[in-house]
Amino acid sequence: MLKKLPAAVKVAVLSAALIAGGTSAVSAAPTIYQAESAALAGGARAETEHAGYTGSGYVGGFTDANRGNAALTVTTSGSAAGAHSLVLRYANGTGSTRTVTLAVNGATRQLSLPATAGWASWGAVSQNVTLNAGANTLAVRYGSGDNGNVNIDSLSVEPVSPAAGVVEAESGTLSGGARVESEHGGHTGSGYVGGFVDANRGAAATFTVSSTATRSTLTLRYANGTGSPRTMTAAVNGAAQQVSLPATASWGEWATASVPVTTVVGPNTVVVSFGANDNGNINLDSVALAPDDTTPTPEGTTELESGFLGGGAVTTTTAGATGSGAVSLPGAGARVIRTINQASAGNATITVRYTASASGTVTAYVNGVKGAQLTLSGGSGWRTVTHTTALRAGLNIIGYQDANGAQLDNIAVTGSAALAARGATVPFTTYEAEAGTTTGTKLAPGRKYTTDVAEASGRGAVKLTGTGQHVQITLTAPANALTVRASIPDGTTAPLAVYANGTKVTDLQLTSKYSWMYGGYPFAEGPGGARPHRYFDDARVLLPQTYPAGTVIRLAKDTGAGAYITVDLLDAEVATATTAPAGYVDVRTHGANPGDGADDSAGIRAAVSAAQGTATRGVWLPAGQYDLNGVVNLSGVDVRGAGIWHTVLNGADRRGGFAITGAGTTIADLTFDGDVTTRDPDDAPNSDSFVEVESGSGATVFNVATNHAKTGLWLKQADGFYAAGLRVRNTMADGLNVNGNNGPTTNVRVEQSTFRNTGDDGMAMWSWNPKSEVSRSVFAFNTISLPILANGAAIYGGTDNRVEDSLISDTVFNGAGVMVSSWHDAKPFAGTTSVQRTTFTRTGTRNWDWDTHTGAVWLFAEKSDITAPLVVRDLEIVDSSYHGMLFSWNKAISNVTVDNVRITGTGGATEAFTDDKGVAVSNAGSHGIHFNLVTGTGRFDWVTVTGVKGTGSQGMANDENRFTVQRGTGNSGW
């Protein structure tokens, strides 16, 4: 027989803080059902081994041997009909989150039970459920899709009702397919509003809601069981804004989201709709308006908790913080950095919101330069401090360090603009040649390796073959600096004339020196060899003046030099020189003189040594061309130039660059242009990277460019390394490789950077097995295009690493848009690896060496199984060359979550040909999702496949049905 505890015990066991649903209020005391008194089955049994339980024991037996069978069942009596909060008390000493299945009157949902401190430590999770009047059956089971291994102490249920002032969604005026539903439990009132599905985009619910203030908070109570954040549009008296609604645990779990709104005293019209720019697919339970008496957040506010945290800085959830929390800076070395996009250059006022129990200071860093020390007054509550600083147009990085225990919430920067939602925020505008007007020939699009158009951005270009032929574009923004990506025949040079509004300005000098490679890896065959590729290179020029928007820029083949010039694209921008920070050591005072033709390595090293003894520890490279014939070691100094366009370091004989060998080093505002023309074999390196990080704790690299180096950046050991504003072009190997060859590498963040025409992976994290792993590192808000070998981005092993918020396009050969793999002797994966919020365009390739298609997203278990959690979500996969997603090969990939992935068009490489081995190649068998002889399991929600091209291509192909696909909701096309 079931027994109930006295009311006093009930209150002691379960805190009201566990009740879910921010707009709900308890209307009756909870009723607790002890698990050991329930009906037990399938190996579930009453136990008393571990302390801390309530009642006479708890229920164990939810072990792997009883998977699919173990269950406890209770029956309520005298329940009131309607919404209830159900709280499950449990112990989970496994050290990781476990799952069980909850069944309410037969309707099931999976519950996640976070780890507790031990088996004698008990936690609780709550769920909103709808109960019938009278008797209800509640069951907890170790289902076949769960990982169980927990102990259950009790179940508690209590009715809940809406708080005062809440308007039930079902009472609104509904349109466009919005409809009243009651399928899922946990709602308040008589139901909720559903129908906000893709087929009903534009669906809306309209309410009249009273307010007593002109500034209010609008709160939506909703359920989002899709597994990923969704958005809706909320309009109050016609003023609309988008509201982000994070995922809830299930469709029967409800949460609230609030936004500030302007109201009138009295009735207000509130409309909640599935807008044109929303992704909808939520259920709405109620809306509410409440007076907002908080201090308004200033315009231009940026949350710090979403920035880079290093040196022991951590996020906190201190009451009153905006956004998702604040940043705690516990002492020396702890730092936070945020990227800011300024509409124009000039002085800006920055307001810092903070709290500190005792008075102290924090040091501001602007674009890596140490700035003002701000005084923070101690006391309770949140307060602000301001400072004024000069910012450049476009990308800036604002940092705060050494705050002695303060918490920083956000910063508000006057004159700031939004950063790009995906990809890098860049100062240049890219103009595709094929989108301009031309007297030359627009090449037919193609993706066949060993053709020049297959290596062109957007898979299109313009070929100028006759003297006088040209291509021209119209500037949409002012520019005084141009970068042209072009191809000319091997072994030649040629001028490309630049005209502005019909007047010749200058000639760009083009060379084939850094292009044209032959043969298979490492591409060592000479001219005329097999597999010619790497056709394009960049040339750049500063113009004599800044030309306004509307200027027609013409690129012309004015001479007979060379048989042709193929123009791919033009990057145009305004290049402004920066000035020396106060107290920095000028390299010219130590013998490094730009433009004299002599090696400046020794002079730069001498300046670095001199700077070590100064207060600023800074080295200044004035504008000019320097010769850097060797590697300069840097430890704890700031080396910076006058800007990417103004300070240029030229390598020689395959050498030159920087090695970061100590903590607190910064490199900024310069370009390194190497002269590496061939790929080193892996076992015989004989060229340098632009930046090699030997030991780079707390290092920063900002606003630098590199061209023609072996690799852009090679990190061999780092802790808290940060880089932003990189332009990595035309490397012979990886654009960026983060590894642990010298020791553990952790907490690396590389963001707001661009990579183009890299000779291997554009960006890679490589936890090489004989050495140390990469962990807790992030590639975010980057734009990666045209890697001529391998992938746009790759994660090879490691722990808790992520690729996110990026744009990846036009992979050329033997690679994917992104690869997650145990290849290259990688250490096993651990923690959670994520690929999220990224757009892939024309990615994935034909692998000529393996005679297979690759995918835009490629999960490749090569050396070993991949069993740690892997999350792939919020992706747009557009016009992939062959597969959309590829899982391979002959090993297991388990614990995969794929959510909100839209695959639009597969098999975009439509040309058929025979490769150099005589193998016929076409887009046949280009699947939306291909499980290529791989085992494992994965959960898929809101994954759609449309526009599949190619003979035999399918929405999904699961070879021999080896892979177990767990289909959730919202899937279509496969």
PDB file of all heavy atoms in Angstrom, residues 766-793:
ATOM      1  N   TRP A 766      44.180  19.611 -32.911  1.00  0.00           N
ATOM      2  CA  TRP A 766      44.758  18.274 -33.100  1.00  0.00           C
ATOM      3  C   TRP A 766      45.344  17.777 -31.788  1.00  0.00           C
ATOM      4  O   TRP A 766      46.404  18.239 -31.360  1.00  0.00           O
ATOM      5  CB  TRP A 766      45.817  18.325 -34.195  1.00  0.00           C
ATOM      6  CG  TRP A 766      46.485  17.012 -34.505  1.00  0.00           C
ATOM      7  CD1 TRP A 766      45.960  15.768 -34.329  1.00  0.00           C
ATOM      8  CD2 TRP A 766      47.794  16.836 -35.054  1.00  0.00           C
ATOM      9  NE1 TRP A 766      46.864  14.805 -34.740  1.00  0.00           N
ATOM     10  CE2 TRP A 766      47.995  15.440 -35.185  1.00  0.00           C
ATOM     11  CE3 TRP A 766      48.790  17.712 -35.448  1.00  0.00           C
ATOM     12  CZ2 TRP A 766      49.189  14.916 -35.697  1.00  0.00           C
ATOM     13  CZ3 TRP A 766      49.974  17.182 -35.957  1.00  0.00           C
ATOM     14  CH2 TRP A 766      50.170  15.806 -36.088  1.00  0.00           C
ATOM     15  N   SER A 767      44.657  16.861 -31.162  1.00  0.00           N
ATOM     16  CA  SER A 767      45.157  16.226 -29.946  1.00  0.00           C
ATOM     17  C   SER A 767      45.946  14.986 -30.347  1.00  0.00           C
ATOM     18  O   SER A 767      45.444  13.867 -30.318  1.00  0.00           O
ATOM     19  CB  SER A 767      43.996  15.864 -29.012  1.00  0.00           C
ATOM     20  OG  SER A 767      43.318  17.016 -28.592  1.00  0.00           O
ATOM     21  N   TRP A 768      47.181  15.229 -30.727  1.00  0.00           N
ATOM     22  CA  TRP A 768      48.040  14.151 -31.249  1.00  0.00           C
ATOM     23  C   TRP A 768      48.386  13.182 -30.133  1.00  0.00           C
ATOM     24  O   TRP A 768      48.892  13.572 -29.084  1.00  0.00           O
ATOM     25  CB  TRP A 768      49.299  14.783 -31.853  1.00  0.00           C
ATOM     26  CG  TRP A 768      50.196  13.818 -32.555  1.00  0.00           C
ATOM     27  CD1 TRP A 768      49.841  12.670 -33.200  1.00  0.00           C
ATOM     28  CD2 TRP A 768      51.620  13.927 -32.685  1.00  0.00           C
ATOM     29  NE1 TRP A 768      50.941  12.063 -33.726  1.00  0.00           N
ATOM     30  CE2 TRP A 768      52.048  12.799 -33.426  1.00  0.00           C
ATOM     31  CE3 TRP A 768      52.554  14.861 -32.250  1.00  0.00           C
ATOM     32  CZ2 TRP A 768      53.393  12.595 -33.736  1.00  0.00           C
ATOM     33  CZ3 TRP A 768      53.880  14.655 -32.563  1.00  0.00           C
ATOM     34  CH2 TRP A 768      54.294  13.539 -33.302  1.00  0.00           C
ATOM     35  N   ASN A 769      48.145  11.901 -30.358  1.00  0.00           N
ATOM     36  CA  ASN A 769      48.162  10.922 -29.283  1.00  0.00           C
ATOM     37  C   ASN A 769      49.500  10.798 -28.555  1.00  0.00           C
ATOM     38  O   ASN A 769      49.523  10.699 -27.334  1.00  0.00           O
ATOM     39  CB  ASN A 769      47.725   9.551 -29.802  1.00  0.00           C
ATOM     40  CG  ASN A 769      47.411   8.589 -28.675  1.00  0.00           C
ATOM     41  OD1 ASN A 769      46.660   8.915 -27.775  1.00  0.00           O
ATOM     42  ND2 ASN A 769      48.017   7.416 -28.703  1.00  0.00           N
ATOM     43  N   PRO A 770      50.656  10.823 -29.226  1.00  0.00           N
ATOM     44  CA  PRO A 770      51.895  10.695 -28.444  1.00  0.00           C
ATOM     45  C   PRO A 770      52.159  11.887 -27.538  1.00  0.00           C
ATOM     46  O   PRO A 770      53.007  11.813 -26.653  1.00  0.00           O
ATOM     47  CB  PRO A 770      52.974  10.591 -29.528  1.00  0.00           C
ATOM     48  CG  PRO A 770      52.270  10.140 -30.750  1.00  0.00           C
ATOM     49  CD  PRO A 770      50.923  10.774 -30.673  1.00  0.00           C
ATOM     50  N   LYS A 771      51.466  12.992 -27.768  1.00  0.00           N
ATOM     51  CA  LYS A 771      51.710  14.198 -26.992  1.00  0.00           C
ATOM     52  C   LYS A 771      50.500  14.495 -26.101  1.00  0.00           C
ATOM     53  O   LYS A 771      49.883  13.593 -25.568  1.00  0.00           O
ATOM     54  CB  LYS A 771      52.015  15.364 -27.941  1.00  0.00           C
ATOM     55  CG  LYS A 771      53.218  15.097 -28.844  1.00  0.00           C
ATOM     56  CD  LYS A 771      54.517  15.045 -28.065  1.00  0.00           C
ATOM     57  CE  LYS A 771      55.717  14.852 -28.983  1.00  0.00           C
ATOM     58  NZ  LYS A 771      56.996  14.863 -28.230  1.00  0.00           N
ATOM     59  N   SER A 772      50.167  15.788 -25.944  1.00  0.00           N
ATOM     60  CA  SER A 772      49.098  16.191 -25.034  1.00  0.00           C
ATOM     61  C   SER A 772      47.855  16.607 -25.811  1.00  0.00           C
ATOM     62  O   SER A 772      47.912  16.863 -27.012  1.00  0.00           O
ATOM     63  CB  SER A 772      49.567  17.357 -24.155  1.00  0.00           C
ATOM     64  OG  SER A 772      50.697  16.972 -23.392  1.00  0.00           O
ATOM     65  N   GLU A 773      46.743  16.713 -25.100  1.00  0.00           N
ATOM     66  CA  GLU A 773      45.490  16.989 -25.772  1.00  0.00           C
ATOM     67  C   GLU A 773      45.157  18.480 -25.779  1.00  0.00           C
ATOM     68  O   GLU A 773      45.733  19.285 -25.051  1.00  0.00           O
ATOM     69  CB  GLU A 773      44.349  16.226 -25.108  1.00  0.00           C
ATOM     70  CG  GLU A 773      43.932  16.751 -23.750  1.00  0.00           C
ATOM     71  CD  GLU A 773      42.614  16.150 -23.283  1.00  0.00           C
ATOM     72  OE1 GLU A 773      42.013  15.367 -24.019  1.00  0.00           O
ATOM     73  OE2 GLU A 773      42.192  16.480 -22.174  1.00  0.00           O
ATOM     74  N   VAL A 774      44.183  18.809 -26.634  1.00  0.00           N
ATOM     75  CA  VAL A 774      43.588  20.139 -26.692  1.00  0.00           C
ATOM     76  C   VAL A 774      42.242  20.057 -25.978  1.00  0.00           C
ATOM     77  O   VAL A 774      41.455  19.136 -26.236  1.00  0.00           O
ATOM     78  CB  VAL A 774      43.395  20.604 -28.144  1.00  0.00           C
ATOM     79  CG1 VAL A 774      42.743  21.975 -28.192  1.00  0.00           C
ATOM     80  CG2 VAL A 774      44.728  20.606 -28.883  1.00  0.00           C
ATOM     81  N   SER A 775      41.966  21.019 -25.102  1.00  0.00           N
ATOM     82  CA  SER A 775      40.705  20.964 -24.365  1.00  0.00           C
ATOM     83  C   SER A 775      40.124  22.365 -24.206  1.00  0.00           C
ATOM     84  O   SER A 775      40.838  23.368 -24.243  1.00  0.00           O
ATOM     85  CB  SER A 775      40.917  20.339 -22.975  1.00  0.00           C
ATOM     86  OG  SER A 775      41.777  21.130 -22.178  1.00  0.00           O
ATOM     87  N   ARG A 776      38.791  22.423 -24.079  1.00  0.00           N
ATOM     88  CA  ARG A 776      38.024  23.640 -23.795  1.00  0.00           C
ATOM     89  C   ARG A 776      38.413  24.782 -24.726  1.00  0.00           C
ATOM     90  O   ARG A 776      38.554  25.925 -24.308  1.00  0.00           O
ATOM     91  CB  ARG A 776      38.199  24.050 -22.332  1.00  0.00           C
ATOM     92  CG  ARG A 776      37.642  23.063 -21.336  1.00  0.00           C
ATOM     93  CD  ARG A 776      37.580  23.612 -19.927  1.00  0.00           C
ATOM     94  NE  ARG A 776      38.905  23.925 -19.390  1.00  0.00           N
ATOM     95  CZ  ARG A 776      39.346  25.147 -19.168  1.00  0.00           C
ATOM     96  NH1 ARG A 776      38.581  26.196 -19.449  1.00  0.00           N
ATOM     97  NH2 ARG A 776      40.547  25.341 -18.672  1.00  0.00           N
ATOM     98  N   SER A 777      38.565  24.484 -25.999  1.00  0.00           N
ATOM     99  CA  SER A 777      38.977  25.496 -26.971  1.00  0.00           C
ATOM    100  C   SER A 777      37.876  25.721 -27.999  1.00  0.00           C
ATOM    101  O   SER A 777      37.059  24.834 -28.268  1.00  0.00           O
ATOM    102  CB  SER A 777      40.282  25.089 -27.637  1.00  0.00           C
ATOM    103  OG  SER A 777      41.329  25.087 -26.684  1.00  0.00           O
ATOM    104  N   VAL A 778      37.883  26.933 -28.593  1.00  0.00           N
ATOM    105  CA  VAL A 778      36.760  27.354 -29.421  1.00  0.00           C
ATOM    106  C   VAL A 778      37.260  28.085 -30.659  1.00  0.00           C
ATOM    107  O   VAL A 778      38.117  28.967 -30.568  1.00  0.00           O
ATOM    108  CB  VAL A 778      35.819  28.312 -28.638  1.00  0.00           C
ATOM    109  CG1 VAL A 778      34.599  28.672 -29.482  1.00  0.00           C
ATOM    110  CG2 VAL A 778      35.405  27.703 -27.311  1.00  0.00           C
ATOM    111  N   PHE A 779      36.716  27.716 -31.821  1.00  0.00           N
ATOM    112  CA  PHE A 779      36.817  28.515 -33.039  1.00  0.00           C
ATOM    113  C   PHE A 779      35.430  29.121 -33.252  1.00  0.00           C
ATOM    114  O   PHE A 779      34.456  28.391 -33.463  1.00  0.00           O
ATOM    115  CB  PHE A 779      37.180  27.658 -34.245  1.00  0.00           C
ATOM    116  CG  PHE A 779      38.534  26.985 -34.169  1.00  0.00           C
ATOM    117  CD1 PHE A 779      38.780  25.833 -34.910  1.00  0.00           C
ATOM    118  CD2 PHE A 779      39.552  27.491 -33.386  1.00  0.00           C
ATOM    119  CE1 PHE A 779      40.016  25.209 -34.867  1.00  0.00           C
ATOM    120  CE2 PHE A 779      40.792  26.880 -33.337  1.00  0.00           C
ATOM    121  CZ  PHE A 779      41.028  25.733 -34.072  1.00  0.00           C
ATOM    122  N   ALA A 780      35.327  30.452 -33.216  1.00  0.00           N
ATOM    123  CA  ALA A 780      34.009  31.094 -33.278  1.00  0.00           C
ATOM    124  C   ALA A 780      34.045  32.310 -34.181  1.00  0.00           C
ATOM    125  O   ALA A 780      35.035  33.030 -34.241  1.00  0.00           O
ATOM    126  CB  ALA A 780      33.559  31.510 -31.874  1.00  0.00           C
ATOM    127  N   PHE A 781      32.963  32.546 -34.889  1.00  0.00           N
ATOM    128  CA  PHE A 781      32.780  33.736 -35.722  1.00  0.00           C
ATOM    129  C   PHE A 781      33.944  33.901 -36.707  1.00  0.00           C
ATOM    130  O   PHE A 781      34.547  34.967 -36.813  1.00  0.00           O
ATOM    131  CB  PHE A 781      32.621  34.990 -34.849  1.00  0.00           C
ATOM    132  CG  PHE A 781      31.380  34.972 -34.006  1.00  0.00           C
ATOM    133  CD1 PHE A 781      31.447  34.652 -32.658  1.00  0.00           C
ATOM    134  CD2 PHE A 781      30.144  35.252 -34.566  1.00  0.00           C
ATOM    135  CE1 PHE A 781      30.311  34.612 -31.879  1.00  0.00           C
ATOM    136  CE2 PHE A 781      28.992  35.221 -33.791  1.00  0.00           C
ATOM    137  CZ  PHE A 781      29.075  34.898 -32.448  1.00  0.00           C
ATOM    138  N   ASN A 782      34.250  32.828 -37.412  1.00  0.00           N
ATOM    139  CA  ASN A 782      35.301  32.859 -38.417  1.00  0.00           C
ATOM    140  C   ASN A 782      34.727  32.607 -39.805  1.00  0.00           C
ATOM    141  O   ASN A 782      33.663  31.988 -39.950  1.00  0.00           O
ATOM    142  CB  ASN A 782      36.366  31.811 -38.091  1.00  0.00           C
ATOM    143  CG  ASN A 782      37.036  32.070 -36.761  1.00  0.00           C
ATOM    144  OD1 ASN A 782      37.641  33.113 -36.558  1.00  0.00           O
ATOM    145  ND2 ASN A 782      36.903  31.137 -35.829  1.00  0.00           N
ATOM    146  N   THR A 783      35.424  33.102 -40.816  1.00  0.00           N
ATOM    147  CA  THR A 783      35.053  32.874 -42.214  1.00  0.00           C
ATOM    148  C   THR A 783      36.187  32.115 -42.881  1.00  0.00           C
ATOM    149  O   THR A 783      37.328  32.598 -42.913  1.00  0.00           O
ATOM    150  CB  THR A 783      34.799  34.205 -42.934  1.00  0.00           C
ATOM    151  OG1 THR A 783      33.712  34.885 -42.292  1.00  0.00           O
ATOM    152  CG2 THR A 783      34.448  33.969 -44.393  1.00  0.00           C
ATOM    153  N   ILE A 784      35.881  30.931 -43.370  1.00  0.00           N
ATOM    154  CA  ILE A 784      36.895  30.032 -43.925  1.00  0.00           C
ATOM    155  C   ILE A 784      36.478  29.666 -45.341  1.00  0.00           C
ATOM    156  O   ILE A 784      35.352  29.215 -45.573  1.00  0.00           O
ATOM    157  CB  ILE A 784      37.025  28.757 -43.076  1.00  0.00           C
ATOM    158  CG1 ILE A 784      37.229  29.107 -41.594  1.00  0.00           C
ATOM    159  CG2 ILE A 784      38.155  27.879 -43.584  1.00  0.00           C
ATOM    160  CD1 ILE A 784      37.014  27.944 -40.652  1.00  0.00           C
ATOM    161  N   SER A 785      37.374  29.851 -46.295  1.00  0.00           N
ATOM    162  CA  SER A 785      37.035  29.514 -47.677  1.00  0.00           C
ATOM    163  C   SER A 785      38.239  28.929 -48.393  1.00  0.00           C
ATOM    164  O   SER A 785      39.386  29.252 -48.088  1.00  0.00           O
ATOM    165  CB  SER A 785      36.537  30.762 -48.429  1.00  0.00           C
ATOM    166  OG  SER A 785      37.548  31.751 -48.485  1.00  0.00           O
ATOM    167  N   LEU A 786      37.941  28.035 -49.324  1.00  0.00           N
ATOM    168  CA  LEU A 786      38.891  27.544 -50.308  1.00  0.00           C
ATOM    169  C   LEU A 786      40.137  26.882 -49.727  1.00  0.00           C
ATOM    170  O   LEU A 786      41.258  27.143 -50.185  1.00  0.00           O
ATOM    171  CB  LEU A 786      39.297  28.687 -51.249  1.00  0.00           C
ATOM    172  CG  LEU A 786      38.137  29.216 -52.100  1.00  0.00           C
ATOM    173  CD1 LEU A 786      38.407  30.641 -52.536  1.00  0.00           C
ATOM    174  CD2 LEU A 786      37.918  28.306 -53.299  1.00  0.00           C
ATOM    175  N   PRO A 787      40.004  26.018 -48.723  1.00  0.00           N
ATOM    176  CA  PRO A 787      41.167  25.194 -48.378  1.00  0.00           C
ATOM    177  C   PRO A 787      41.434  24.243 -49.543  1.00  0.00           C
ATOM    178  O   PRO A 787      40.532  23.540 -49.997  1.00  0.00           O
ATOM    179  CB  PRO A 787      40.716  24.446 -47.121  1.00  0.00           C
ATOM    180  CG  PRO A 787      39.225  24.396 -47.219  1.00  0.00           C
ATOM    181  CD  PRO A 787      38.814  25.661 -47.922  1.00  0.00           C
ATOM    182  N   ILE A 788      42.656  24.236 -50.048  1.00  0.00           N
ATOM    183  CA  ILE A 788      42.893  23.429 -51.257  1.00  0.00           C
ATOM    184  C   ILE A 788      43.164  21.969 -50.925  1.00  0.00           C
ATOM    185  O   ILE A 788      43.221  21.131 -51.814  1.00  0.00           O
ATOM    186  CB  ILE A 788      44.044  24.001 -52.095  1.00  0.00           C
ATOM    187  CG1 ILE A 788      45.370  23.931 -51.332  1.00  0.00           C
ATOM    188  CG2 ILE A 788      43.731  25.423 -52.534  1.00  0.00           C
ATOM    189  CD1 ILE A 788      46.568  24.126 -52.215  1.00  0.00           C
ATOM    190  N   LEU A 789      43.365  21.669 -49.655  1.00  0.00           N
ATOM    191  CA  LEU A 789      43.516  20.294 -49.194  1.00  0.00           C
ATOM    192  C   LEU A 789      42.882  20.211 -47.816  1.00  0.00           C
ATOM    193  O   LEU A 789      43.062  21.105 -47.003  1.00  0.00           O
ATOM    194  CB  LEU A 789      44.997  19.898 -49.120  1.00  0.00           C
ATOM    195  CG  LEU A 789      45.314  18.527 -48.493  1.00  0.00           C
ATOM    196  CD1 LEU A 789      44.785  17.401 -49.378  1.00  0.00           C
ATOM    197  CD2 LEU A 789      46.813  18.368 -48.275  1.00  0.00           C
ATOM    198  N   ALA A 790      42.144  19.158 -47.565  1.00  0.00           N
ATOM    199  CA  ALA A 790      41.527  18.908 -46.263  1.00  0.00           C
ATOM    200  C   ALA A 790      40.313  19.810 -46.030  1.00  0.00           C
ATOM    201  O   ALA A 790      39.606  20.155 -46.979  1.00  0.00           O
ATOM    202  CB  ALA A 790      42.553  19.013 -45.137  1.00  0.00           C
ATOM    203  N   ASN A 791      40.095  20.224 -44.778  1.00  0.00           N
ATOM    204  CA  ASN A 791      38.801  20.729 -44.346  1.00  0.00           C
ATOM    205  C   ASN A 791      38.819  22.219 -44.042  1.00  0.00           C
ATOM    206  O   ASN A 791      39.871  22.801 -43.776  1.00  0.00           O
ATOM    207  CB  ASN A 791      38.381  19.980 -43.081  1.00  0.00           C
ATOM    208  CG  ASN A 791      38.561  18.483 -43.205  1.00  0.00           C
ATOM    209  OD1 ASN A 791      37.784  17.806 -43.860  1.00  0.00           O
ATOM    210  ND2 ASN A 791      39.615  17.960 -42.592  1.00  0.00           N
ATOM    211  N   GLY A 792      37.626  22.805 -44.031  1.00  0.00           N
ATOM    212  CA  GLY A 792      37.529  24.170 -43.554  1.00  0.00           C
ATOM    213  C   GLY A 792      37.945  24.257 -42.098  1.00  0.00           C
ATOM    214  O   GLY A 792      38.785  25.068 -41.718  1.00  0.00           O
ATOM    215  N   ALA A 793      37.363  23.409 -41.257  1.00  0.00           N
ATOM    216  CA  ALA A 793      37.734  23.331 -39.845  1.00  0.00           C
ATOM    217  C   ALA A 793      37.715  21.865 -39.442  1.00  0.00           C
ATOM    218  O   ALA A 793      36.975  21.060 -40.017  1.00  0.00           O
ATOM    219  CB  ALA A 793      36.782  24.148 -38.977  1.00  0.00           C
TER     220      ALA A 793
END
